[in-house]
Amino acid sequence: MDIFSIEGPTRLAGKVKVNGSKNSSLPIMAAALLAPGKTVLKGVPRLSDIAVLENLLSTLGPKVERLENGDIIIDATVVDNPVGEYDIVRKMRASVCILGPLLARCGRVEVSMPGGCAIGDRPVDIHLRGLAELGAKISLKNGNIVATAPQGGLVGKDIFLGGPFGATVLGTDNVMMAAVLAKGTTVIEMAACEPEVADLANFLNAMGAKIRGIGSPRLTIEGVKQLHGIEYTVISDRIEAGTFMVGAAITGGEVELDNCALGDMMAVVDRLRNCGVCVENNNGGCIVTRTGEIKAADITTQPYPGFPTDLQAQFMAMLALAEGNSIITEKIFPDRFMHVAELNRMAANLRKEGASVVVAGVKKLIAAPIMASDLRASAALVLAALAAEGTTVINRVYHIDRGYEKIEEKLNAIGAKIMRQAI
Ligand code: EPZ
């Protein structure tokens, strides 16, 4: 198990290249199952979550290979074992995104019901409701979801996919991937509009699917007979980009981000500017600078284009050092506050009130031994440690490796002092 020792305070200054999006890559890798042929994916980051899905896909029949240059080749000519094994699926909830493609390609799928995780319950009831609307028979057998398509295949339908927290990202992905090979037309109302969902839809259309309304809450999908393998480059990771933007802000630094789509980050840029952080467009990327004090700001997480829940923890770390009080409200995962207790160990002044946290800004954070718990909370702790006085030790760094490729190398290259140690 690795730990990070992080010396602070440091100031980040320099240029960093944003990787391809983890949350685009995962459903797109699953969607490659839909085409009997070879798909080449470019720009996919080297992350443990990606490796888990590579392994899972290879147990379903396809040949999966990662080249030296980082490209992933998925040859899905053969998909003859539509069963997602528990001991692989339990490692990563997003494995559930094989449901839709396997149901569409093989007419049957069995995948372990994903468990909860540190950010809360992760139900898939809306996924299953959407697939059932397309004609699938759904049952639960010893913790496994078993879905079978009717004899003649899935049939398109108008489907409302909204839930108590709004749209569902992977739920939209699963139903869309099932619908592309269904007979007739499917309309998904209250589809998720995240850029990663749009990226998946663009990938599917490049494979021969017929999806309209991409990026809007209403997707219209005309079923086709077959799809073909393609070469495709995934979009950049707006959550990694946002994490580095907060890094510049929390350390009073100046960071140039390369390969970052500011157009997909308007809610994030709005909050940064509200906090007194300067964000400038810079050919295909941006420059983020903070010179004055961090100003307090209120943040509420919402489905895209609202403020992304995946940057809530990172912004909390920054607002812990703001002048004045901020209120952060989590409308997507109301329990996504594992980072609060750890930040308070660093002398932050955070008080949880239901699905909100009152952040009373303090003058400084103090280094302490802390525990990573989930991917984005762990990234927030790294950011806090960069600004804290002293050497912070973060345990269970594997959480960070799930979603950030060599984060310590990238941060050290622009002024951080992070040492990774195996214990
Ligand atoms: C995706 O998870 C992302 N993961 C998450 O990022 C992200 O936090 C989340 O979307 C929200 O943006 C990937 O893309 C791999 P949801 P997903 O279904 O699709 C409820 C990260 O850090 N819901 O959009 O699983 C659910 O409980 C990860 O990279 C139901 O009630 O999230 C939540 O409250 C963490 N029933 C809300 O909807 C369902 O059937 C949104 O969840 C499905 C979801």
Side-chain angles (χ1 to χ4, degrees), residues 22-23 122-126 165 168-170 310 332 376:
K22 165 180 85 80
N23 290 350
R122 306 295 294 275
V124 291
D125 56 310
I126 305 173
F165 299 92
T168 158
V169 171
L170 290 181
D310 291 350
I332 307 291
R376 306 303 176 184

Side-chain angles (χ1 to χ4, degrees), residues 296-368:
D298 292 343
I299 291 179
T300 299
T301 66
Q302 287 163 318
Y304 191 88
F307 187 91
T309 174
D310 291 350
L311 283 171
Q312 176 259 106
Q314 298 91 319
F315 270 71
M316 190 181 291
M318 176 183 73
L319 291 170
L321 287 168
E323 261 184 346
N325 293 354
S326 309
I327 297 180
I328 296 181
T329 302
E330 180 50 76
K331 292 264 190 191
I332 307 291
F333 294 110
D335 299 329
R336 191 174 197 170
F337 291 128
M338 296 291 283
H339 41 290
V340 169
E342 299 305 307
L343 290 170
N344 279 340
R345 284 177 51 77
M346 300 177 76
N349 182 352
L350 312 173
R351 198 178 70 250
K352 191 171 172 307
E353 298 277 347
S356 296
V357 170
V358 178
V359 182
V362 295
K363 281 271 170 267
K364 62 181 176 181
L365 294 174
I366 314 287

